């Protein structure tokens, strides 16, 4: 227990500081969970719209399976590969270097 005013002030400030830090932590966790929920809801909505389209147009099960397989593998590939517009430093390069870069990046796939 604090015995003088200095110790009391230190105890009060310590408790206040702990409360602020804990509140900040809770706020960040809540924000992260809300973002996760938003992403999940968007994915669910996209899946629902896809399923509705498939049902409305009576797409064959074989084609639906192929489409779903492609979409899942493409989703993974999109997360792995960066594109030119994702790299801010690319905007600083002169046009001649950008042209050569694009030739090298797109060359093997043409």
């Amino acid at each position: 227990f604090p015995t003088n005013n200095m110790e009391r002030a230190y105890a009060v400030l310590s408790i206040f500081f702990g409360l602020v830090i804990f509140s900040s932590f809770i706020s960040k966790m809540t924000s992260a969970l809300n973002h996760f929920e938003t992403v999940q809801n968007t994915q669910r909505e996209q899946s629902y719209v896809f399923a509705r389209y498939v049902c409305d147009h009576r797409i064959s099960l074989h084609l639906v399976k192929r489409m779903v397989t492609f979409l899942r593998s493409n989703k993974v590939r999109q997360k792995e590969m960066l594109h030119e517009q994702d790299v801010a430093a690319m905007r600083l390069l002169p046009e001649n270097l950008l042209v050569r870069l694009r030739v090298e990046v797109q060359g093997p796939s043409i």
Side-chain angles (χ1 to χ4, degrees), residues 38-57:
T38 302
V39 169
Q40 290 291 95
N41 287 339
T42 302
Q43 289 176 347
R44 266 190 233 113
E45 179 68 24
Q46 289 175 353
S47 294
Y48 171 76
V49 169
F50 178 78
R52 183 171 173 210
Y53 178 88
V54 166
C55 289
D56 288 352
H57 295 282

Side-chain angles (χ1 to χ4, degrees), residues 87-95 97-98:
V87 183
M90 296 295 186
R91 294 184 206 115
L92 302 174
L93 294 174
E95 190 63 32
L97 289 178
L98 284 173

Side-chain angles (χ1 to χ4, degrees), residues 21-39:
I21 296 296
F22 183 71
S23 297
S24 174
F25 173 74
I26 294 297
S27 173
K28 288 182 183 195
M29 290 300 294
T30 302
S31 176
L33 287 173
N34 285 339
H35 176 71
F36 179 73
E37 185 178 3
T38 302
V39 169

